[in-house]
Amino acid sequence: MHMPGIWLVALIAAVALPVASEELFDPVTGYRLGQYRAPVPEVAPGAVTVDVEAVARLRAQGGILLDVRPGARLEPLVGGWIAAEPLLTIEGAHWLPEVGRGRIEDQIEAYLLDTLDRLTGGAPESVLIVFCRVDCWMSWNAAQRIAGHGYTAVHWFPNGIEAWEAAGLPTATIRPEPIELAE
């Protein structure tokens, strides 16, 4: 029995798949634009990929941990971030919500740069460790974005908080780094 409808569906799917995957990435910046919880590549441009042991070593040497998971929203009426609950993360980490999205508003870009300047004391050679969850494109985006702003020791921890917890390493709950809202 001949079923032309099935062939048509298969042809449309074959043609549509490459287009759909290209739309996941900004054609100018290369940042991932959506479906942030999916398998990630082995490297993030501009960053050194690290595992849990390297993160523990870098942390002990004074590396700055940047958790870029979402989970907070800006609320101008309260003058900053509102998080439903504190974030459980690597002890000593700083939470910078929304900086790992594929496209961010100018205000979030300024927040990222101001926070990095404050945390590093203006030293672009400071060791930065960027992470979120396992298979999280937000950390991949954020690592590239930070490196693109001239930070030269960016490390990307793609296995994130899950690997840290599985290793039994110290965690703490934190709130987002403060943001200065434009008036």
Side-chain angles (χ1 to χ4, degrees):
M1 179 174 178
H2 182 43
M3 301 178 114
I6 292 175
W7 289 104
L8 181 60
V9 169
L11 178 61
I12 290 170
V15 171
L17 282 176
V19 173
S21 66
E22 287 174 16
E23 292 172 357
L24 284 176
F25 296 90
D26 185 294
V28 175
T29 65
Y31 298 141
R32 177 87 173 211
L33 297 174
Q35 297 178 16
Y36 295 114
R37 288 302 307 275
V40 295
E42 293 182 17
V43 297
V48 175
T49 303
V50 290
D51 60 13
V52 71
E53 291 82 14
V55 172
R57 182 177 37 75
L58 292 168
R59 175 181 172 266
Q61 295 170 349
I64 301 166
L65 294 151
L66 305 173
D67 191 326
V68 299
R69 285 181 280 173
R73 73 177 195 286
L74 271 181
E75 184 52 60
L77 294 176
V78 297
W81 296 107
I82 291 186
E85 56 189 48
L87 184 74
L88 181 66
T89 191
I90 297 172
E91 187 176 72
H94 303 272
W95 183 15
L96 284 77
E98 301 304 316
V99 302
R101 296 209 181 267
R103 291 191 181 116
I104 61 175
E105 298 173 17
D106 291 344
Q107 184 174 25
I108 300 299
E109 187 85 26
Y111 164 69
L112 171 64
L113 295 176
D114 291 346
T115 303
L116 289 173
D117 188 56
R118 178 175 48 81
L119 294 175
T120 66
E125 69 280 2
S126 297
V127 173
L128 302 170
I129 305 117
V130 181
F131 70 98
C132 55
R133 301 179 61 110
V134 69
D135 289 333
C136 175
W137 285 87
M138 287 194 176
S139 61
W140 186 84
N141 284 343
Q144 288 182 76
R145 181 172 281 127
I146 292 166
H149 283 295
Y151 288 87
T152 58
V154 178
H155 296 77
W156 178 50
F157 180 34
N159 293 326
I161 186 64
E162 289 90 347
W164 187 264
E165 287 180 306
L169 295 165
T171 59
T173 55
I174 61 172
R175 295 277 181 192
E177 288 295 310
I179 186 170
E180 294 289 327
L181 296 177
E183 298 194 24

